[in-house]
Amino acid sequence: MNSTTKVTFRGTPDELRRVLAAVPGVLAGSISVPERVTRALNDRIGSALLKVIREDFIAKASGRRGKDGRTWDLEGPQDGDGAVDDADLDRMYASLSEDRPTGDTVKQSRHGGTVAVGSSAVGFDRFNRSYPVLPVDGQIPDAWMPDVMAGIEDGIAQAIAVLLESGWRP
């Protein structure tokens, strides 16, 4: 767990034991609880997973290998001979920048676990790329698991804290 949470429980020791005994059923979804309990759990797990996805995205977009062991083909615009045309490359990168000085728009779409990023500048469609954001095989890479497990631990602790403080009883 990454932080310490002080929880105030107003109930008897037997009630506390019953609430804690119900936690596995709550986590399995077989015991109904207030939405904020499941939200606490899902938010922490989701945040942990998004953190490692973001770190890998930045690594791969910078030409490095992600924790999942994959790299992206980051070739730029090439002329007919396969050589990079620096003027085209500069214009494409400018069209993808936040202030877009060329006036071109950026196309971004998310589908099937990929993000497609490209420029709508005339003549640049052939350079637009689609990159997988999630592992292609759908499995969480082993290298991501410490961060994901920390998120799960934080989520369980927060869900228990919400259960105890809410006055919920099984």
Side-chain angles (χ1 to χ4, degrees):
M1 187 170 9
N2 294 332
S3 63
T4 303
T5 302
K6 181 180 178 179
V7 176
T8 303
F9 177 73
R10 289 181 171 73
T12 68
D14 282 340
E15 288 173 321
L16 177 60
R17 280 191 284 277
R18 282 195 304 275
V19 170
L20 294 177
V23 168
V26 168
L27 297 176
S30 60
I31 296 177
S32 180
V33 293
E35 180 187 348
R36 63 183 178 201
V37 174
T38 53
R39 192 176 329 122
L41 179 63
N42 293 338
D43 285 352
R44 271 130 188 112
I45 295 171
S47 293
L49 189 54
L50 287 174
K51 175 183 175 249
V52 290
I53 289 172
R54 179 181 182 273
E55 289 169 355
D56 264 22
F57 184 94
I58 291 170
K60 292 175 202 173
S62 302
R64 298 186 312 270
R65 184 172 306 282
K67 282 184 180 180
D68 64 359
R70 300 187 186 278
T71 58
W72 289 343
D73 172 21
L74 298 175
E75 290 181 19
Q78 298 176 347
D79 62 21
D81 299 328
V84 173
D85 182 329
D86 289 337
D88 278 350
L89 190 61
D90 289 345
R91 183 160 180 253
M92 184 180 78
Y93 287 151
S95 76
L96 296 172
S97 70
E98 191 173 325
D99 56 356
R100 292 188 281 287
T102 62
D104 301 321
T105 59
V106 176
K107 293 190 290 187
Q108 294 182 339
S109 63
R110 286 165 278 290
H111 51 82
T114 66
V115 60
V117 180
S119 170
S120 65
V122 174
F124 287 101
D125 283 350
R126 67 187 187 281
F127 306 120
N128 294 342
R129 300 277 195 268
S130 181
Y131 300 106
V133 178
L134 300 172
V136 226
D137 60 6
Q139 301 298 311
I140 296 176
D142 290 342
W144 290 9
M145 288 311 292
D147 289 321
V148 173
M149 290 306 295
I152 291 170
E153 291 170 8
D154 283 348
I156 291 171
Q158 188 61 35
I160 291 170
V162 171
L163 277 176
L164 294 174
E165 290 184 333
S166 71
W168 176 87
R169 299 294 186 269

